[in-house]
Amino acid sequence: MEQQVMGRVSDARRRIPRTDAVLRDPRLVDAASRLGPGPVKAAVRQAQERARHGALAPEEVADTAVALLPRAVGGLRPVINATGVLLHTNLGRAPLSAAARQAVQDAAGPTDVELDLRTGVRARRGRTALEALRGRVPSAAAAHVVNSNAAAVVLAATALAAGREIVISRGEMVEIGDGFRLPDLLVSTGARLREVGTTNRTTMDDYAAAIGPETAFVLKVHPSNFRITGFTRAAGIRELAALDVPVVSDIGSGLLAPHPLLPGEPDAETQLRAGAALVTASGDKLLGGPQCGLLLGDAELVRTLSRHPLARALRVDKLTLAALEATLRGPDTPTAVFLAADAAGLARRAERLAATLGAAGIDVRAVPSAATVGGGGAPGVALPSAALSLPERYAAALRTGPVPVVGRLEGGRCLLDLRAVPEEDDERLADAVRSAAER
């Protein structure tokens, strides 16, 4: 009997198709053109190995190899952000608009990033993106773009204050995330920090007393990821602009103009009108664009920064410039849509999804929720939302499913907040929940 079984296994193994024969399958030929030969061969060998162990029939090798193919060559996987945090740093912050994605695709090949096609001579890098940025912030006489807001602050400190002093309030010596602290970044440029005031109160007199021949500029930092309340005092830009030194305002979150839902969030246009000589901000937060750092303000200061040798090391690539310009000129970004979402509409979506999934026997219910801006923007601002409430075990199953979904745990339940989930993704979200229920 044992010999008969072994014989059948041996016969099956002999029928396993050769690698070169499987690779001639049209589906795998097409995959090799998209993914490269390496991932395709690896999928074929994995399918053949399963067949050798009897887990599948030899004639199923090609189909299994196709099913095992990765979606793309890269390791990053698209996810559905159901955390209720609109700008989730671990998920890449702002999702790009359709216009920005198309712009990135168009710019992926040769492009006129530094060439004037009319004259055939070299042109300023990213000139149309910079024009679009100035168009959105009329009070900015000039603009420059680097690869992050931290880079923008470092460039300003290096170009303007190396070997000199930066005056900054003690209450604004913030940690910006992942253990990086603003004072450390500033000191690394060769600048000296002159701390003034206290954690909760810094007055104009504190700043005025610190200004001297060694002062390069006053740095005003928006403490975007926390709030100090109670017995507090902070000097505003308009007050600081009366001092006889430039004022650099790091607003962080990238709001270019006032937003009615975020009255406490500083914006570039207002800061410049109030007298800031230079404003730095992020492109991948409330602006809703790609990761980059924006420098806006006085033409001479911006020119000094843009011509500094460090600017070359911090410059952005053509894909970032393309995405930024499309974000600035194009329709509302996903971030803007999420911010403006109607709470009643979110509740109706949650009820529909809960009814559909509940009919399939899944323990789910629609519940009210509170979303946040995230990314260091608008701390303490709660955005009314709605969520699907599932048993806690769903959290891991959803994260590791075919379409990863990231929610949050609250009160022993897994909540899938809909505020940052585009409505067109509702069916994908439902399919992911059904798949998690079967695992």
Side-chain angles (χ1 to χ4, degrees), residues 360-364 389-401 405 407-416 432-439:
I362 295 173
D363 175 10
V364 59
S389 175
L390 295 155
E392 185 174 351
R393 68 173 184 83
Y394 274 79
L398 285 165
R399 287 197 313 273
T400 57
V405 177
R408 71 176 187 268
L409 294 177
E410 192 173 293
R413 301 280 288 184
C414 171
L415 295 190
L416 304 181
V433 174
R434 292 187 192 100
S435 176
E438 295 169 358
R439 294 172 65 189

Side-chain angles (χ1 to χ4, degrees), residues 35-357:
L35 304 173
V40 176
K41 287 181 180 178
V44 169
R45 287 168 181 156
Q46 189 175 349
Q48 290 171 323
E49 191 65 20
R50 291 186 183 183
R52 290 188 186 98
H53 287 87
L56 55 91
E59 56 270 20
E60 296 174 330
V61 167
D63 290 342
T64 302
V66 171
L68 290 172
L69 288 172
R71 178 183 174 275
V73 178
L76 295 177
R77 297 183 64 190
V79 306
I80 294 178
N81 176 15
T83 62
V85 180
L86 275 54
L87 302 170
H88 200 300
T89 298
N90 301 139
L91 301 181
R93 294 182 180 159
L96 294 180
S97 66
R101 296 182 191 199
Q102 183 62 55
V104 168
Q105 184 174 331
D106 292 343
T111 185
D112 60 341
V113 64
E114 285 188 24
L115 179 68
D116 186 328
L117 294 174
R118 184 178 57 84
T119 63
V121 301
R122 185 170 185 165
R124 186 182 182 188
R125 183 180 184 86
R127 58 204 175 278
T128 56
L130 296 176
E131 289 169 4
L133 185 54
R134 284 192 57 203
R136 289 283 298 273
V137 188
S139 294
H144 186 63
V145 181
V146 290
N147 58 27
S148 70
N149 186 46
V153 175
V154 165
L155 179 58
T158 303
L160 305 177
R164 300 180 68 195
E165 287 185 348
I166 298 172
V167 176
I168 182 173
S169 168
R170 284 190 176 88
E172 297 172 7
M173 306 277 277
V174 298
E175 183 172 308
I176 58 177
D178 197 26
F180 289 95
R181 295 177 172 178
L182 184 63
D184 296 337
L185 289 176
L186 293 171
V187 170
S188 74
T189 69
R192 300 188 303 275
L193 299 187
R194 181 76 177 269
E195 302 173 36
V196 297
T198 62
T199 301
N200 59 320
R201 290 179 66 83
T202 304
T203 67
M204 262 300 290
D205 289 341
D206 293 322
Y207 285 100
I211 301 299
E214 291 298 299
T215 304
F217 60 83
V218 169
L219 178 61
K220 180 71 176 172
V221 179
H222 176 52
S224 56
N225 53 7
F226 69 94
R227 291 187 304 169
I228 299 177
T229 61
F231 186 57
T232 63
R233 174 74 170 88
I237 293 294
R238 195 171 300 280
E239 294 176 276
L240 295 174
L243 298 170
D244 194 26
V245 292
V247 178
V248 177
S249 177
D250 175 17
I251 64 172
S253 67
L255 199 61
L256 299 186
H259 194 291
L261 293 178
L262 308 172
E265 192 71 13
D267 65 273
E269 178 66 15
T270 301
Q271 298 284 289
L272 290 170
R273 285 188 178 184
L278 189 70
V279 170
T280 67
S282 296
D284 59 343
K285 296 183 181 179
L286 287 171
L287 178 58
Q291 177 183 302
C292 58
L294 314 178
L295 291 139
L296 299 148
D298 177 81
E300 189 58 36
L301 281 182
V302 172
R303 185 182 184 281
T304 297
L305 269 57
S306 66
R307 300 310 302 165
H308 191 277
L310 183 60
R312 174 76 178 191
L314 301 177
R315 76 177 187 176
V316 294
D317 70 332
K318 61 182 180 178
L319 303 183
T320 300
L321 290 168
L324 176 61
E325 182 173 358
T327 298
L328 292 163
R329 297 191 190 275
D332 283 347
T333 65
T335 300
V337 173
F338 299 156
L339 269 176
D342 173 56
L346 294 172
R348 288 192 294 271
R349 286 173 57 194
E351 293 287 355
R352 284 197 301 269
L353 285 166
T356 299
L357 294 170

